[in-house]
Amino acid sequence: MGSELVKYKYLVLVIIVFVIALLPRFWNLATFPRSLSIDEVAIGYNAYSVLKTGKDEWGASFPLAFRSVGDYKAPVDVYLTIPSIVIFGLNEFGERFPVALVGSLTIVVFVLLLGQLGFSRPVTLLGGVWLALAPWHILLSRAGYETVTALFLVLLGLLLFLIWEKREKVFYLTLSTAAMCLSIWTYHAERLFVPMLGLFLLIVFRKKLIICLQKPWRLLPLFLISLILLIPFIYLLFFQKSISARADNLLFIKDTYLTSELHGGYYRNITEFIFNNDIYLIFHQWIGQYLNYFDLKFWFFKGLNLTPPRFQDIGILNIIDLPIFFIGVFALLKTKKKILKFLVLFWFIASPLPASLTGGDPNPYRSLIMLPFFGFVIASGIELIWYSRKKWLLIFVFMAVLVCDFYFSDLYINNFYKFYGDVWNYGYKEASQFACANRDKYDQIVITNNYGTYFDAVFSTPYIYILFHCQYDPAKYLKSEKLSGKIENINIRKPNWSEDKKLKNALIIASPWDLSNDPPPPETIIKEIKFIDDKPAFYFLDTNKIQKK
Amino acid sequence: MRQILERLINSKAKIFFILLLCTPMFWGIILQPNKLINEWKQTPVSFKIKIDQLFHDQQEGFFVAQLRWDTPSYHRSYRQTHFFYSLATVIISEASDTLSLISPKRYFQMDDGYISPPKIEPLPVVLFPFWLAGVFFLIKTKRYLVFVASFGLAVITFVLGHINFCYLFPIALINLYIANEGIFLISSPKKRAYVLILTVFYSTYLLGRTLWVVS
């Protein structure tokens, strides 16, 4: 009875932690981020298209890779969005709901996982609260990122594996395998990380797995599920371009700095072949990308890129996490929990690998798989403090976490959109909806695909915003000509006002940069959309106003 | 001969010295003393420029104003914006560059564009796993002075304003010491010898590459 009560109390506390996770992830979810990113609209519209027609926007029936805007999205999040669109409609909330929910559920899985790794119940709950309030995870959970769903599946797979290890029921091992295989279909980083994790678990738990193999028929469901989930993946990887196309776009080898250095097999002389060969150059570049993820500044000060360089920002962890992290490292080095030690070491070395294969600066979106490493270390630090005589320190720590979260919320709600509203295609929703609402009124509507806050730096694909925000009939869109740059009478191109002003009965939706050479008369401007800091984003120009003059 | 080798492999100081000879950064400094001295001569001036830059009113005028912004149509909480964005927070943010000065990439991959050989890592990257092991070992044995010293030297370098190995080489030496500690976690002298041989071979390659790049 006593233990039942304790279990019940623990369950209630886990639910409370879950509710704590829900709050920052669902608060004004439809409003912040202030606009849907191109990935969000693409996922949302493709989900809508599959719902209505059984095909994606390109006409592929129930695809396993969504061509979308040429990035061949992994399918899990798209299919996960379908029930949400059925319930909530094709809008911001409907699109973001699944990942926000999965992100909140990740906290529950993390709490249970900490329990399986040997942490005490109070520590698992505090670790869960830490993750619930982690800005990095909140930021990605609110913006429909596939990496959040993938991380959930990896952690779920690991949890189920550890439950199998304790209870020795093959059912859990089967579910674990299914979750991990599904994560490979969810995000690209897991395609490299999960096989490594699988190998790690195979090595560490080999004795238990060998015992399992003595009754191989019990493993039949596991093998079947693995085959069902992995064979199509292998087919797509080797015989279709859908998976390799994405890798091709992102690989660090495509960085212009490196491509300008590579020789492509042609060397001037033997010394160049020995001392400046492509193998060394690629290795040298890759090691730089890998070591980028071991930068303390990226961890604690400038990781989330909510502001431009040199502006204050926030790391992938809060500044208050810094001392707890080092306490956690010390605690882990002293701990007798061998599995935890090995797991953390493995995660530390292996988790930056997928992101390190991509180009550019350290990326918080591609490296979310590193988050559990920090979670385990922070939990170890919390445990050391909890069992010391200075438990009261944790009150101070979590109050500081809340202050950091308020700081994060201000950066996120205000400054992120001031600096990067154009990168997130802010304004295209209103522009698309106005264009659709007025398409019968005009012979032609032109909408620019090039705009920006400070200059015309952003090249967008407005067609997908038009499809999403106008809830364009997918069956009708499937019959239309793709890549034509047109949706009915809406043309997507950079306006040339000098010529376009001669068009009869046309609406030109242009950025200020499209009009800088030939400013339009003020009476032609019938509407204006501004960025949140009042800088102009779009001008709506009615050519009829010129004709009348 | 065997005894000499045994004494070599079992001596931390000797291994450290060999590792030092294997680092391109070391040779960059030894062979370009004029660059080093010229850089040090500029220390008072660069220090003054850095301090001026950090505490200049423009910091508040530009960075802080950009973050505290509001418009006639968009109001923000005065208390919140002034609490989160101020000259103090801008300086803390700038000072966080110090942490980048102790990141492993700076020592195991990036050249400094000045005194360390170009396009060559200052410390051989094969030492990185041992450096990691050394970091864990030093934390476990509570030898924090090494990290405090690293951080302190990084702060000095940051404040002096010039980010290159004329100022960072003490931290590079500390990293080499940490890697040395990591190597000595290998209990078998034979395996330690293999590590050393690997490092020497790799460093010889780096030396050849340095000569090729310079020529």
Side-chain angles (χ1 to χ4, degrees), chain A residues 80-109:
Chain A
L80 209 56
T81 307
I82 293 174
S84 178
I85 287 174
V86 169
I87 299 168
F88 301 111
L90 184 65
N91 51 49
E92 285 88 340
F93 190 82
E95 203 288 323
R96 289 173 178 163
F97 175 83
V99 175
L101 181 64
V102 165
S104 307
L105 288 170
T106 304
I107 279 69
V108 175
V109 171

PDB file of all heavy atoms in Angstrom, chain A residues 80-109:
ATOM      1  N   LEU A  80       2.393  12.997 -39.180  1.00  0.00           N
ATOM      2  CA  LEU A  80       1.946  13.331 -37.822  1.00  0.00           C
ATOM      3  C   LEU A  80       1.085  14.588 -37.816  1.00  0.00           C
ATOM      4  O   LEU A  80       0.245  14.773 -36.929  1.00  0.00           O
ATOM      5  CB  LEU A  80       3.195  13.583 -36.965  1.00  0.00           C
ATOM      6  CG  LEU A  80       3.161  13.294 -35.485  1.00  0.00           C
ATOM      7  CD1 LEU A  80       2.756  11.863 -35.214  1.00  0.00           C
ATOM      8  CD2 LEU A  80       4.540  13.538 -34.891  1.00  0.00           C
ATOM      9  N   THR A  81       1.288  15.445 -38.813  1.00  0.00           N
ATOM     10  CA  THR A  81       0.553  16.711 -38.872  1.00  0.00           C
ATOM     11  C   THR A  81      -0.869  16.504 -39.394  1.00  0.00           C
ATOM     12  O   THR A  81      -1.751  17.333 -39.150  1.00  0.00           O
ATOM     13  CB  THR A  81       1.309  17.712 -39.773  1.00  0.00           C
ATOM     14  OG1 THR A  81       2.658  17.809 -39.312  1.00  0.00           O
ATOM     15  CG2 THR A  81       0.703  19.098 -39.741  1.00  0.00           C
ATOM     16  N   ILE A  82      -1.095  15.416 -40.082  1.00  0.00           N
ATOM     17  CA  ILE A  82      -2.413  15.213 -40.710  1.00  0.00           C
ATOM     18  C   ILE A  82      -3.556  15.233 -39.689  1.00  0.00           C
ATOM     19  O   ILE A  82      -4.512  16.000 -39.853  1.00  0.00           O
ATOM     20  CB  ILE A  82      -2.434  13.925 -41.568  1.00  0.00           C
ATOM     21  CG1 ILE A  82      -1.506  14.083 -42.779  1.00  0.00           C
ATOM     22  CG2 ILE A  82      -3.858  13.595 -42.020  1.00  0.00           C
ATOM     23  CD1 ILE A  82      -1.342  12.829 -43.621  1.00  0.00           C
ATOM     24  N   PRO A  83      -3.500  14.421 -38.621  1.00  0.00           N
ATOM     25  CA  PRO A  83      -4.629  14.475 -37.666  1.00  0.00           C
ATOM     26  C   PRO A  83      -4.794  15.847 -37.031  1.00  0.00           C
ATOM     27  O   PRO A  83      -5.908  16.275 -36.736  1.00  0.00           O
ATOM     28  CB  PRO A  83      -4.262  13.420 -36.608  1.00  0.00           C
ATOM     29  CG  PRO A  83      -2.913  12.945 -36.914  1.00  0.00           C
ATOM     30  CD  PRO A  83      -2.501  13.407 -38.248  1.00  0.00           C
ATOM     31  N   SER A  84      -3.687  16.550 -36.848  1.00  0.00           N
ATOM     32  CA  SER A  84      -3.757  17.886 -36.259  1.00  0.00           C
ATOM     33  C   SER A  84      -4.495  18.846 -37.189  1.00  0.00           C
ATOM     34  O   SER A  84      -5.285  19.683 -36.746  1.00  0.00           O
ATOM     35  CB  SER A  84      -2.337  18.383 -35.984  1.00  0.00           C
ATOM     36  OG  SER A  84      -2.362  19.667 -35.463  1.00  0.00           O
ATOM     37  N   ILE A  85      -4.257  18.706 -38.498  1.00  0.00           N
ATOM     38  CA  ILE A  85      -4.933  19.575 -39.464  1.00  0.00           C
ATOM     39  C   ILE A  85      -6.419  19.230 -39.522  1.00  0.00           C
ATOM     40  O   ILE A  85      -7.272  20.106 -39.672  1.00  0.00           O
ATOM     41  CB  ILE A  85      -4.265  19.445 -40.846  1.00  0.00           C
ATOM     42  CG1 ILE A  85      -2.911  20.155 -40.814  1.00  0.00           C
ATOM     43  CG2 ILE A  85      -5.134  20.015 -41.942  1.00  0.00           C
ATOM     44  CD1 ILE A  85      -2.087  19.984 -42.058  1.00  0.00           C
ATOM     45  N   VAL A  86      -6.722  17.946 -39.369  1.00  0.00           N
ATOM     46  CA  VAL A  86      -8.135  17.530 -39.366  1.00  0.00           C
ATOM     47  C   VAL A  86      -8.870  18.199 -38.201  1.00  0.00           C
ATOM     48  O   VAL A  86      -9.979  18.700 -38.351  1.00  0.00           O
ATOM     49  CB  VAL A  86      -8.247  15.989 -39.249  1.00  0.00           C
ATOM     50  CG1 VAL A  86      -9.675  15.563 -38.963  1.00  0.00           C
ATOM     51  CG2 VAL A  86      -7.753  15.321 -40.518  1.00  0.00           C
ATOM     52  N   ILE A  87      -8.197  18.228 -37.042  1.00  0.00           N
ATOM     53  CA  ILE A  87      -8.856  18.743 -35.832  1.00  0.00           C
ATOM     54  C   ILE A  87      -8.830  20.276 -35.805  1.00  0.00           C
ATOM     55  O   ILE A  87      -9.843  20.918 -35.539  1.00  0.00           O
ATOM     56  CB  ILE A  87      -8.171  18.194 -34.562  1.00  0.00           C
ATOM     57  CG1 ILE A  87      -8.271  16.667 -34.530  1.00  0.00           C
ATOM     58  CG2 ILE A  87      -8.789  18.799 -33.306  1.00  0.00           C
ATOM     59  CD1 ILE A  87      -7.387  16.006 -33.484  1.00  0.00           C
ATOM     60  N   PHE A  88      -7.661  20.852 -36.078  1.00  0.00           N
ATOM     61  CA  PHE A  88      -7.503  22.294 -35.874  1.00  0.00           C
ATOM     62  C   PHE A  88      -7.526  23.103 -37.163  1.00  0.00           C
ATOM     63  O   PHE A  88      -7.574  24.333 -37.117  1.00  0.00           O
ATOM     64  CB  PHE A  88      -6.183  22.585 -35.133  1.00  0.00           C
ATOM     65  CG  PHE A  88      -6.088  21.915 -33.801  1.00  0.00           C
ATOM     66  CD1 PHE A  88      -5.189  20.877 -33.586  1.00  0.00           C
ATOM     67  CD2 PHE A  88      -6.905  22.302 -32.749  1.00  0.00           C
ATOM     68  CE1 PHE A  88      -5.103  20.238 -32.357  1.00  0.00           C
ATOM     69  CE2 PHE A  88      -6.825  21.679 -31.520  1.00  0.00           C
ATOM     70  CZ  PHE A  88      -5.933  20.637 -31.325  1.00  0.00           C
ATOM     71  N   GLY A  89      -7.453  22.422 -38.280  1.00  0.00           N
ATOM     72  CA  GLY A  89      -7.471  23.159 -39.552  1.00  0.00           C
ATOM     73  C   GLY A  89      -6.070  23.461 -40.051  1.00  0.00           C
ATOM     74  O   GLY A  89      -5.076  23.276 -39.335  1.00  0.00           O
ATOM     75  N   LEU A  90      -5.994  23.936 -41.285  1.00  0.00           N
ATOM     76  CA  LEU A  90      -4.704  24.262 -41.895  1.00  0.00           C
ATOM     77  C   LEU A  90      -4.347  25.692 -41.489  1.00  0.00           C
ATOM     78  O   LEU A  90      -4.656  26.669 -42.174  1.00  0.00           O
ATOM     79  CB  LEU A  90      -4.795  24.141 -43.427  1.00  0.00           C
ATOM     80  CG  LEU A  90      -3.489  24.365 -44.192  1.00  0.00           C
ATOM     81  CD1 LEU A  90      -2.476  23.276 -43.864  1.00  0.00           C
ATOM     82  CD2 LEU A  90      -3.735  24.397 -45.704  1.00  0.00           C
ATOM     83  N   ASN A  91      -3.725  25.785 -40.350  1.00  0.00           N
ATOM     84  CA  ASN A  91      -3.328  27.103 -39.837  1.00  0.00           C
ATOM     85  C   ASN A  91      -2.104  26.921 -38.944  1.00  0.00           C
ATOM     86  O   ASN A  91      -1.593  25.801 -38.823  1.00  0.00           O
ATOM     87  CB  ASN A  91      -4.492  27.739 -39.064  1.00  0.00           C
ATOM     88  CG  ASN A  91      -5.069  26.801 -38.027  1.00  0.00           C
ATOM     89  OD1 ASN A  91      -4.338  26.203 -37.240  1.00  0.00           O
ATOM     90  ND2 ASN A  91      -6.378  26.633 -38.028  1.00  0.00           N
ATOM     91  N   GLU A  92      -1.659  28.011 -38.341  1.00  0.00           N
ATOM     92  CA  GLU A  92      -0.427  27.958 -37.544  1.00  0.00           C
ATOM     93  C   GLU A  92      -0.541  26.945 -36.410  1.00  0.00           C
ATOM     94  O   GLU A  92       0.366  26.145 -36.188  1.00  0.00           O
ATOM     95  CB  GLU A  92      -0.110  29.343 -36.949  1.00  0.00           C
ATOM     96  CG  GLU A  92       0.449  30.359 -37.926  1.00  0.00           C
ATOM     97  CD  GLU A  92      -0.623  31.143 -38.651  1.00  0.00           C
ATOM     98  OE1 GLU A  92      -1.785  30.679 -38.702  1.00  0.00           O
ATOM     99  OE2 GLU A  92      -0.309  32.216 -39.175  1.00  0.00           O
ATOM    100  N   PHE A  93      -1.634  26.970 -35.692  1.00  0.00           N
ATOM    101  CA  PHE A  93      -1.787  26.072 -34.548  1.00  0.00           C
ATOM    102  C   PHE A  93      -1.846  24.622 -35.006  1.00  0.00           C
ATOM    103  O   PHE A  93      -1.218  23.742 -34.428  1.00  0.00           O
ATOM    104  CB  PHE A  93      -3.032  26.421 -33.739  1.00  0.00           C
ATOM    105  CG  PHE A  93      -3.103  25.689 -32.430  1.00  0.00           C
ATOM    106  CD1 PHE A  93      -2.417  26.150 -31.325  1.00  0.00           C
ATOM    107  CD2 PHE A  93      -3.841  24.512 -32.319  1.00  0.00           C
ATOM    108  CE1 PHE A  93      -2.457  25.453 -30.119  1.00  0.00           C
ATOM    109  CE2 PHE A  93      -3.887  23.814 -31.118  1.00  0.00           C
ATOM    110  CZ  PHE A  93      -3.195  24.285 -30.019  1.00  0.00           C
ATOM    111  N   GLY A  94      -2.602  24.371 -36.063  1.00  0.00           N
ATOM    112  CA  GLY A  94      -2.713  23.015 -36.589  1.00  0.00           C
ATOM    113  C   GLY A  94      -1.373  22.467 -37.035  1.00  0.00           C
ATOM    114  O   GLY A  94      -1.074  21.288 -36.860  1.00  0.00           O
ATOM    115  N   GLU A  95      -0.546  23.344 -37.596  1.00  0.00           N
ATOM    116  CA  GLU A  95       0.761  22.901 -38.084  1.00  0.00           C
ATOM    117  C   GLU A  95       1.729  22.656 -36.928  1.00  0.00           C
ATOM    118  O   GLU A  95       2.493  21.698 -36.946  1.00  0.00           O
ATOM    119  CB  GLU A  95       1.340  23.971 -39.023  1.00  0.00           C
ATOM    120  CG  GLU A  95       2.374  23.442 -40.009  1.00  0.00           C
ATOM    121  CD  GLU A  95       3.690  23.088 -39.356  1.00  0.00           C
ATOM    122  OE1 GLU A  95       4.108  23.810 -38.426  1.00  0.00           O
ATOM    123  OE2 GLU A  95       4.301  22.069 -39.752  1.00  0.00           O
ATOM    124  N   ARG A  96       1.666  23.501 -35.914  1.00  0.00           N
ATOM    125  CA  ARG A  96       2.680  23.435 -34.840  1.00  0.00           C
ATOM    126  C   ARG A  96       2.300  22.490 -33.700  1.00  0.00           C
ATOM    127  O   ARG A  96       3.161  22.083 -32.925  1.00  0.00           O
ATOM    128  CB  ARG A  96       2.907  24.831 -34.263  1.00  0.00           C
ATOM    129  CG  ARG A  96       3.628  25.735 -35.230  1.00  0.00           C
ATOM    130  CD  ARG A  96       3.695  27.147 -34.721  1.00  0.00           C
ATOM    131  NE  ARG A  96       4.430  27.976 -35.665  1.00  0.00           N
ATOM    132  CZ  ARG A  96       4.405  29.292 -35.689  1.00  0.00           C
ATOM    133  NH1 ARG A  96       3.678  29.958 -34.797  1.00  0.00           N
ATOM    134  NH2 ARG A  96       5.103  29.963 -36.580  1.00  0.00           N
ATOM    135  N   PHE A  97       1.028  22.170 -33.598  1.00  0.00           N
ATOM    136  CA  PHE A  97       0.549  21.386 -32.460  1.00  0.00           C
ATOM    137  C   PHE A  97       1.299  20.062 -32.261  1.00  0.00           C
ATOM    138  O   PHE A  97       1.734  19.749 -31.143  1.00  0.00           O
ATOM    139  CB  PHE A  97      -0.957  21.146 -32.588  1.00  0.00           C
ATOM    140  CG  PHE A  97      -1.514  20.245 -31.531  1.00  0.00           C
ATOM    141  CD1 PHE A  97      -1.853  20.762 -30.282  1.00  0.00           C
ATOM    142  CD2 PHE A  97      -1.699  18.885 -31.753  1.00  0.00           C
ATOM    143  CE1 PHE A  97      -2.359  19.936 -29.291  1.00  0.00           C
ATOM    144  CE2 PHE A  97      -2.205  18.056 -30.768  1.00  0.00           C
ATOM    145  CZ  PHE A  97      -2.539  18.584 -29.533  1.00  0.00           C
ATOM    146  N   PRO A  98       1.472  19.230 -33.306  1.00  0.00           N
ATOM    147  CA  PRO A  98       2.082  17.913 -33.080  1.00  0.00           C
ATOM    148  C   PRO A  98       3.472  17.999 -32.462  1.00  0.00           C
ATOM    149  O   PRO A  98       3.774  17.284 -31.496  1.00  0.00           O
ATOM    150  CB  PRO A  98       2.153  17.284 -34.478  1.00  0.00           C
ATOM    151  CG  PRO A  98       1.209  18.051 -35.305  1.00  0.00           C
ATOM    152  CD  PRO A  98       1.142  19.420 -34.744  1.00  0.00           C
ATOM    153  N   VAL A  99       4.314  18.879 -32.993  1.00  0.00           N
ATOM    154  CA  VAL A  99       5.689  18.933 -32.488  1.00  0.00           C
ATOM    155  C   VAL A  99       5.725  19.534 -31.084  1.00  0.00           C
ATOM    156  O   VAL A  99       6.522  19.109 -30.233  1.00  0.00           O
ATOM    157  CB  VAL A  99       6.595  19.725 -33.459  1.00  0.00           C
ATOM    158  CG1 VAL A  99       7.983  19.901 -32.885  1.00  0.00           C
ATOM    159  CG2 VAL A  99       6.680  19.006 -34.792  1.00  0.00           C
ATOM    160  N   ALA A 100       4.841  20.515 -30.825  1.00  0.00           N
ATOM    161  CA  ALA A 100       4.789  21.085 -29.471  1.00  0.00           C
ATOM    162  C   ALA A 100       4.375  20.010 -28.467  1.00  0.00           C
ATOM    163  O   ALA A 100       4.930  19.931 -27.364  1.00  0.00           O
ATOM    164  CB  ALA A 100       3.821  22.261 -29.435  1.00  0.00           C
ATOM    165  N   LEU A 101       3.437  19.162 -28.870  1.00  0.00           N
ATOM    166  CA  LEU A 101       2.991  18.086 -27.977  1.00  0.00           C
ATOM    167  C   LEU A 101       4.089  17.049 -27.785  1.00  0.00           C
ATOM    168  O   LEU A 101       4.375  16.617 -26.664  1.00  0.00           O
ATOM    169  CB  LEU A 101       1.731  17.420 -28.551  1.00  0.00           C
ATOM    170  CG  LEU A 101       1.138  16.291 -27.708  1.00  0.00           C
ATOM    171  CD1 LEU A 101       0.659  16.823 -26.365  1.00  0.00           C
ATOM    172  CD2 LEU A 101      -0.020  15.612 -28.443  1.00  0.00           C
ATOM    173  N   VAL A 102       4.708  16.671 -28.897  1.00  0.00           N
ATOM    174  CA  VAL A 102       5.800  15.687 -28.819  1.00  0.00           C
ATOM    175  C   VAL A 102       6.948  16.250 -27.979  1.00  0.00           C
ATOM    176  O   VAL A 102       7.554  15.544 -27.181  1.00  0.00           O
ATOM    177  CB  VAL A 102       6.277  15.316 -30.242  1.00  0.00           C
ATOM    178  CG1 VAL A 102       7.614  14.608 -30.203  1.00  0.00           C
ATOM    179  CG2 VAL A 102       5.245  14.438 -30.929  1.00  0.00           C
ATOM    180  N   GLY A 103       7.222  17.522 -28.157  1.00  0.00           N
ATOM    181  CA  GLY A 103       8.270  18.168 -27.354  1.00  0.00           C
ATOM    182  C   GLY A 103       7.947  18.108 -25.869  1.00  0.00           C
ATOM    183  O   GLY A 103       8.825  17.859 -25.039  1.00  0.00           O
ATOM    184  N   SER A 104       6.691  18.306 -25.520  1.00  0.00           N
ATOM    185  CA  SER A 104       6.285  18.227 -24.111  1.00  0.00           C
ATOM    186  C   SER A 104       6.386  16.794 -23.603  1.00  0.00           C
ATOM    187  O   SER A 104       6.815  16.555 -22.467  1.00  0.00           O
ATOM    188  CB  SER A 104       4.859  18.738 -23.942  1.00  0.00           C
ATOM    189  OG  SER A 104       4.719  20.024 -24.517  1.00  0.00           O
ATOM    190  N   LEU A 105       6.006  15.847 -24.441  1.00  0.00           N
ATOM    191  CA  LEU A 105       6.089  14.434 -24.039  1.00  0.00           C
ATOM    192  C   LEU A 105       7.540  13.987 -23.881  1.00  0.00           C
ATOM    193  O   LEU A 105       7.827  13.062 -23.111  1.00  0.00           O
ATOM    194  CB  LEU A 105       5.374  13.556 -25.067  1.00  0.00           C
ATOM    195  CG  LEU A 105       3.846  13.651 -25.057  1.00  0.00           C
ATOM    196  CD1 LEU A 105       3.254  12.934 -26.269  1.00  0.00           C
ATOM    197  CD2 LEU A 105       3.254  13.064 -23.777  1.00  0.00           C
ATOM    198  N   THR A 106       8.441  14.641 -24.604  1.00  0.00           N
ATOM    199  CA  THR A 106       9.878  14.314 -24.466  1.00  0.00           C
ATOM    200  C   THR A 106      10.320  14.466 -23.020  1.00  0.00           C
ATOM    201  O   THR A 106      11.151  13.695 -22.531  1.00  0.00           O
ATOM    202  CB  THR A 106      10.723  15.237 -25.365  1.00  0.00           C
ATOM    203  OG1 THR A 106      10.268  15.135 -26.703  1.00  0.00           O
ATOM    204  CG2 THR A 106      12.200  14.885 -25.319  1.00  0.00           C
ATOM    205  N   ILE A 107       9.743  15.445 -22.334  1.00  0.00           N
ATOM    206  CA  ILE A 107      10.137  15.683 -20.946  1.00  0.00           C
ATOM    207  C   ILE A 107       9.742  14.482 -20.080  1.00  0.00           C
ATOM    208  O   ILE A 107      10.499  14.041 -19.208  1.00  0.00           O
ATOM    209  CB  ILE A 107       9.513  17.002 -20.419  1.00  0.00           C
ATOM    210  CG1 ILE A 107      10.341  18.203 -20.874  1.00  0.00           C
ATOM    211  CG2 ILE A 107       9.500  17.045 -18.899  1.00  0.00           C
ATOM    212  CD1 ILE A 107      10.346  18.554 -22.299  1.00  0.00           C
ATOM    213  N   VAL A 108       8.560  13.935 -20.327  1.00  0.00           N
ATOM    214  CA  VAL A 108       8.098  12.769 -19.558  1.00  0.00           C
ATOM    215  C   VAL A 108       9.032  11.586 -19.812  1.00  0.00           C
ATOM    216  O   VAL A 108       9.447  10.889 -18.885  1.00  0.00           O
ATOM    217  CB  VAL A 108       6.647  12.409 -19.947  1.00  0.00           C
ATOM    218  CG1 VAL A 108       6.210  11.146 -19.249  1.00  0.00           C
ATOM    219  CG2 VAL A 108       5.705  13.555 -19.629  1.00  0.00           C
ATOM    220  N   VAL A 109       9.356  11.377 -21.071  1.00  0.00           N
ATOM    221  CA  VAL A 109      10.259  10.276 -21.438  1.00  0.00           C
ATOM    222  C   VAL A 109      11.621  10.483 -20.777  1.00  0.00           C
ATOM    223  O   VAL A 109      12.231   9.535 -20.266  1.00  0.00           O
ATOM    224  CB  VAL A 109      10.399  10.182 -22.979  1.00  0.00           C
ATOM    225  CG1 VAL A 109      11.481   9.194 -23.376  1.00  0.00           C
ATOM    226  CG2 VAL A 109       9.071   9.778 -23.600  1.00  0.00           C
TER     227      VAL A 109
END
